[in-house]
Amino acid sequence: MKFFPILVLLLANGIQAQQSFSLNPNPVFGEKKDDYIEEGRAIVKNLASTTQNLRWKRTIIRLDNDSTCFTAVTDPYLHWPPTVNEKSFSMEPGQEGPLYVTLFDFDETDCCAIVHMKINNLSTPTDSIEAYYYLRSCQPLAVLEIQKSTIAIFPNPVTQYFSLQNAESVSRLT
């Protein structure tokens, strides 16, 4: 019974299980393949001794010139069209494969993208990795000075969603 307070302390602080897969590098910076294509390359690897069922989900944070530019994901099995934002795949023990995000700019408009990828272990949803893919260097945009005292963001800190108060004049956030 002497170890009871230590056990309670460990449970209160949360015991983290070892991740069953990895993604390297993280974050991912794109490399130019040609004048039209930039690719962010990362490798996902199953670190477990059993087959893992994983799911990736793509969220585009920023995409300049989205009428002519688009991104697509390549997982260990397929290169998916730009309309696919979420897919599941399996990996055998020790298997590794690509998790690439490609930026296509066939009109050469110098678009850039920031893409958030979340990879979850389907059998253990808390076993997840989040990564950001930075594709092309974005030039800073001209921004008018925003009055800090009039705009409020809540909740703070933000977990998944946030709200802006008194932000009627804000047209874009990055």
Side-chain angles (χ1 to χ4, degrees), residues 116-129:
H116 174 256
M117 294 288 288
K118 184 170 185 177
I119 305 99
N120 282 57
N121 181 332
L122 293 177
S123 61
T124 311
T126 57
D127 185 8
S128 66
I129 294 175

Side-chain angles (χ1 to χ4, degrees), residues 53-57 86-89 118-120 122:
N53 295 311
L54 305 175
R55 176 181 278 292
W56 58 262
K57 182 176 182 180
E86 191 171 341
K87 274 296 177 190
S88 299
F89 61 97
K118 184 170 185 177
I119 305 99
N120 282 57
L122 293 177

Side-chain angles (χ1 to χ4, degrees), residues 3-172:
F3 296 104
F4 181 73
I6 295 172
L7 179 61
V8 170
L9 182 62
L10 287 173
L11 291 175
N13 288 328
I15 299 171
Q16 299 244 343
Q18 187 175 2
Q19 269 185 306
S20 63
F21 63 98
S22 65
L23 183 72
N24 288 304
N26 187 4
V28 182
F29 295 94
E31 296 177 16
K32 186 175 181 176
K33 291 184 72 177
D34 59 34
D35 288 340
Y36 313 105
I37 297 173
E38 175 132 352
E39 191 166 66
R41 296 178 175 193
I43 301 296
V44 63
K45 182 175 183 178
N46 180 358
L47 303 173
S49 59
T50 59
T51 299
Q52 300 294 311
N53 295 311
L54 305 175
R55 176 181 278 292
W56 58 262
K57 182 176 182 180
R58 172 182 61 162
T59 304
I60 298 171
I61 304 296
R62 177 177 180 179
L63 179 59
D64 293 352
N65 303 319
D66 60 358
S67 62
T68 60
C69 300
F70 56 92
T71 65
V73 176
T74 301
D75 66 26
Y77 296 99
L78 288 172
H79 180 78
W80 295 95
T83 55
V84 176
N85 290 313
E86 191 171 341
K87 274 296 177 190
S88 299
F89 61 97
S90 296
M91 295 189 85
E92 297 297 320
Q95 181 183 353
E96 59 183 49
L99 192 60
Y100 298 171
V101 176
T102 307
L103 172 66
F104 296 92
D105 180 11
F106 294 118
D107 288 344
E108 296 186 71
T109 57
D110 292 325
C111 59
C112 62
I114 301 171
V115 177
H116 174 256
M117 294 288 288
K118 184 170 185 177
I119 305 99
N120 282 57
N121 181 332
L122 293 177
S123 61
T124 311
T126 57
D127 185 8
S128 66
I129 294 175
E130 296 190 40
Y132 289 89
Y133 288 69
Y134 299 95
L135 305 166
R136 284 205 182 137
S137 298
C138 299
Q139 295 298 318
L141 302 174
V143 178
L144 297 173
E145 188 72 29
I146 297 175
Q147 295 290 329
K148 293 179 183 177
S149 61
T150 61
I151 297 174
I153 185 171
F154 58 91
N156 188 5
V158 172
T159 54
Q160 286 186 312
Y161 302 99
F162 66 90
S163 296
L164 292 175
Q165 186 175 27
N166 300 326
E168 292 78 19
S169 64
V170 175
S171 61
R172 182 176 180 179

